[in-house]
Amino acid sequence: MPGSPQSRTGRPPVQRAVKRPAAPGPVHENPVLRLYHRLRRAWDRPLTAYYLISGGSALITVLGLVMVYSASQITALQLSLPGSYFFRKQFLAALIGAGLLVAAMRMPVKLHRALAYPILAGAVFLMILVQVPGIGVAVNGNQNWISLGGSFQIQPSEFGKLALVLWGADLLARKQDRRLLTQWKHMLVPLVPAAFMLLGLIMIGGDMGTAIILTAILFGLLWLAGAPTRLFAGVLSIAVLLGFILIKTSPNRMARLNCLGATDPGPGDACWQAVHGIYALASGGLFGSGLGASVEKWGQLPEAHTDFIFAVTGEELGLAGTLSVLALFAALGYAGIRVAGRTEDPFVRYAAGGVTTWITAQAVINIGAVLGLLPIAGVPLPLFSYGGSALLPTMFAIGLLIAFARDEPGARAALALRQPRFGRKRGAGGTGSKRSPRSWNTMRRRASAARSSGER
């Protein structure tokens, strides 16, 4: 062809392919950023709150049993009791509490609301009964106990926390359904008077620590109900004023307030407990002296297995152990806030928020007192310290949170898709039969669809 280059053989030259630029390699994402994205995807899964509440509460309870056994041995021997005495009582309470947790977890929301008034009436009746001479028992100067015979006692004020949460949540939910919460009278009455009645019954016995927890629950419910700032500030001002008067008129409470940040027991060993709690934490180091090797529990630290069990944990398990406990409570608090924020049911929102406020506020007050940042209020660490009266209502409240977490958007469907990987399908007559290939493939398709959507 004229004008076109020809090779020596008379054929046109072979056209060589033009080299394309090399494709860019995979972009290496920052490991920290990749971990952040993984954690965020894990938080967004429908069953995250369910696993955090059930797993976190179980770990706290089991670790609490171990630490109760370790911290209470010396106290039991000093009282001429077997070394495992307090552990056995706490283990029995944990078994009963586990039954209450499962029952609360399986109850429908309607039954929870129906139990609100009976639990409130029962708690008020028992708290009145505490003040009857011959029935009420005084412990450490506070008359808040009822003897059940032998060594078993019950503290009705602990059940008052559960009663206020359930009754307050039901009351606010019914008022929200009728659009009455926009009026400040309906928001405060009868919630605040009933809470003040419970607080008065508790303060008659002298237990200011439990009164602080009930006040925190009340403020949590008002906050969730959308109380105006001026209304919230007014109720808070009244509570602070009453608290100041109660502290100022009590030499014991003033002495506890004066022990904030103390590093020396002071005259008359007034700050003995607070200072030795700091000593226990300081001697633990990074990984502790070893389980059972605490020195402070040998008579130096009062209430080592109840109010100051966190100090013994720091001494025996070190900073790693205390941070683990803090992480478990933080996860529990996060899961409770998530349940309260994602639900459409007002009762579930108020109840979940009330329970979360109760557990987190009590944990902060107990740990803050051990660290010397807050006055010693005499409240146990939830699910961790020794005390069946505190453990039973707390485990019932955890069952409430688990029940609410199962009803989160997507959680019920994710739980329904979970199928056993092994085992045989039950037949109609009760005998086992092998699963057909068609049903097995159907189950595999459902499982893969659930994984692709992020629901597990």
Side-chain angles (χ1 to χ4, degrees):
M1 188 174 192
S4 60
Q6 298 286 334
S7 65
R8 293 181 180 179
T9 59
R11 297 179 181 178
V14 178
Q15 299 290 335
R16 293 184 178 180
V18 181
K19 279 189 176 183
R20 296 181 179 180
V27 180
H28 294 286
E29 189 179 7
N30 188 355
V32 177
L33 192 60
R34 184 166 61 248
L35 178 62
Y36 168 75
H37 288 312
R38 283 186 177 182
L39 290 176
R40 187 166 184 178
R41 285 194 299 268
W43 293 137
D44 290 337
R45 289 176 180 172
L47 292 178
T48 297
Y50 171 75
Y51 288 136
L52 283 179
I53 296 171
S54 55
S57 58
L59 288 174
I60 294 173
T61 305
V62 171
L63 183 58
L65 287 172
V66 173
M67 294 311 304
V68 165
Y69 180 65
S70 175
S72 65
Q73 285 182 332
I74 307 305
T75 304
L77 293 175
Q78 288 175 344
L79 297 174
S80 301
L81 297 170
S84 61
Y85 174 78
F86 293 104
F87 167 76
R88 286 181 293 175
K89 290 183 65 176
Q90 185 74 355
F91 184 73
L92 177 61
L95 290 179
I96 299 174
L100 293 176
L101 185 148
V102 173
M105 184 178 66
R106 297 295 181 182
M107 287 181 187
V109 174
K110 290 183 178 180
L111 185 54
H112 289 148
R113 301 185 68 168
L115 289 175
Y117 282 87
I119 292 178
L120 177 64
V124 171
F125 174 74
L126 290 177
M127 290 166 70
I128 295 174
L129 208 60
V130 165
Q131 306 306 324
V132 177
I135 298 179
V137 178
V139 177
N140 294 330
N142 296 336
Q143 184 154 339
N144 289 303
W145 300 82
I146 294 178
S147 177
L148 300 180
S151 61
F152 292 94
Q153 296 176 343
I154 187 173
Q155 187 177 4
S157 57
E158 293 291 340
F159 295 89
K161 304 172 187 176
L162 178 63
L164 181 60
V165 168
L166 287 178
W167 178 79
D170 178 67
L171 176 69
L172 292 175
R174 286 189 288 109
K175 291 197 173 189
Q176 180 173 330
D177 292 338
R178 298 177 185 177
R179 303 179 184 273
L180 297 176
L181 291 182
T182 55
Q183 306 175 29
W184 67 270
K185 292 184 295 183
H186 287 284
M187 185 174 291
L188 296 181
V189 180
L191 177 62
V192 175
F196 280 180
M197 177 190 66
L198 293 174
L199 290 172
L201 291 174
I202 292 173
M203 288 308 301
I204 291 175
D207 188 2
M208 191 169 181
T210 305
I212 294 174
I213 306 300
L214 254 72
T215 305
I217 295 173
L218 173 63
F219 286 134
L221 292 174
L222 290 176
W223 182 270
L224 291 170
T229 305
R230 62 181 182 275
L231 184 63
F232 197 84
V235 178
L236 182 61
S237 301
I238 296 174
V240 171
L241 179 62
L242 291 176
F244 176 77
I245 294 173
L246 291 172
I247 293 175
K248 196 69 176 177
T249 55
S250 174
N252 184 30
R253 298 187 186 112
M254 281 299 300
R256 292 185 179 186
L257 188 63
N258 293 331
C259 290
L260 282 178
T263 57
D264 185 84
D269 292 335
C271 301
W272 179 273
Q273 187 177 23
V275 169
H276 278 271
I278 298 296
Y279 290 169
L281 291 172
S283 61
L286 188 59
F287 296 106
S289 58
L291 192 62
S294 169
V295 175
E296 291 293 332
K297 68 183 180 183
W298 286 77
Q300 300 297 322
L301 181 63
E303 308 295 338
H305 60 296
T306 54
D307 301 343
F308 271 68
I309 194 171
F310 189 76
V312 179
T313 304
E315 186 179 3
E316 295 188 350
L317 303 183
L319 181 64
T322 54
L323 289 181
S324 299
V325 174
L326 290 176
L328 289 173
F329 276 109
L332 198 59
Y334 163 79
I337 294 173
R338 169 174 159 156
V339 170
R342 291 196 174 192
T343 183
E344 299 294 334
D345 190 336
F347 172 79
V348 173
R349 179 168 61 254
Y350 294 133
V355 170
T356 305
T357 304
W358 162 14
I359 294 176
T360 53
Q362 187 164 326
V364 167
I365 291 173
N366 177 277
I367 295 174
V370 174
L371 295 176
L373 303 176
L374 295 174
I376 299 174
V379 296
L381 190 59
L383 301 172
F384 203 84
S385 296
Y386 170 79
S389 295
L391 184 63
L392 296 182
T394 306
M395 294 192 74
F396 187 90
I398 293 295
L400 286 177
L401 286 181
I402 295 175
F404 299 155
R406 290 163 62 97
D407 289 334
E408 267 196 27
R412 185 177 293 276
L415 287 171
L417 284 174
R418 293 195 311 178
Q419 298 287 345
R421 295 184 180 180
F422 305 101
R424 298 184 177 184
K425 186 177 180 180
R426 293 181 180 178
T431 57
S433 59
K434 291 186 177 180
R435 190 186 301 275
S436 65
R438 183 175 180 180
S439 63
W440 173 253
N441 292 333
T442 303
M443 190 182 75
R444 290 182 60 187
R445 285 196 298 271
R446 290 178 180 174
S448 61
R451 285 194 293 270
S452 62
S453 62
E455 296 181 358
R456 293 185 180 179

